[in-house]
Amino acid sequence: MTKRSRHEREMRVVENDKLKAVEAQWNAAIPADVASAFAREVEAVRARGPLPPRPDMEPGTLPNPPRPGREPKPVKEERKPRRGSY
């Protein structure tokens, strides 16, 4: 955990107060019907809960194709080393 000096904590409180004041002014400038529609949408999303997880991809598939020119090299075929006659 980071320790903050008294000055930093006081500055954070001042910044939070300023932020709350700006938010209050912004909310006051929004028409009532727009604000209520936004509040209804937020309530609907919160009531829905988190989205279900996406289905897993097939094994061995990369999530993103490689960039052009960055394709992986083809696998070399292993050849048995030549045995020379001495």
Side-chain angles (χ1 to χ4, degrees):
M1 186 168 126
T2 304
K3 291 189 176 183
R4 307 238 184 241
S5 67
R6 180 180 301 141
H7 176 70
E8 287 177 324
R9 290 191 303 263
E10 290 171 358
M11 292 305 296
R12 186 173 286 186
V13 169
V14 170
E15 288 174 3
N16 287 342
D17 291 341
K18 287 180 183 178
L19 181 64
K20 288 178 184 177
V22 170
E23 282 183 11
Q25 290 175 349
W26 186 61
N27 288 334
I30 297 174
D33 57 337
V34 174
S36 63
F38 180 73
R40 282 193 304 272
E41 289 180 22
V42 169
E43 281 183 35
V45 169
R46 287 187 177 157
R48 180 191 72 208
L51 294 174
R54 293 183 172 204
D56 291 336
M57 297 178 71
E58 292 182 18
T61 57
L62 296 175
N64 296 322
R67 296 184 309 187
R70 306 285 181 162
E71 293 87 5
K73 293 182 180 179
V75 179
K76 290 184 178 180
E77 295 179 13
E78 289 188 34
R79 289 192 277 171
K80 293 184 179 179
R82 292 178 148 187
R83 293 199 167 210
S85 58
Y86 293 100

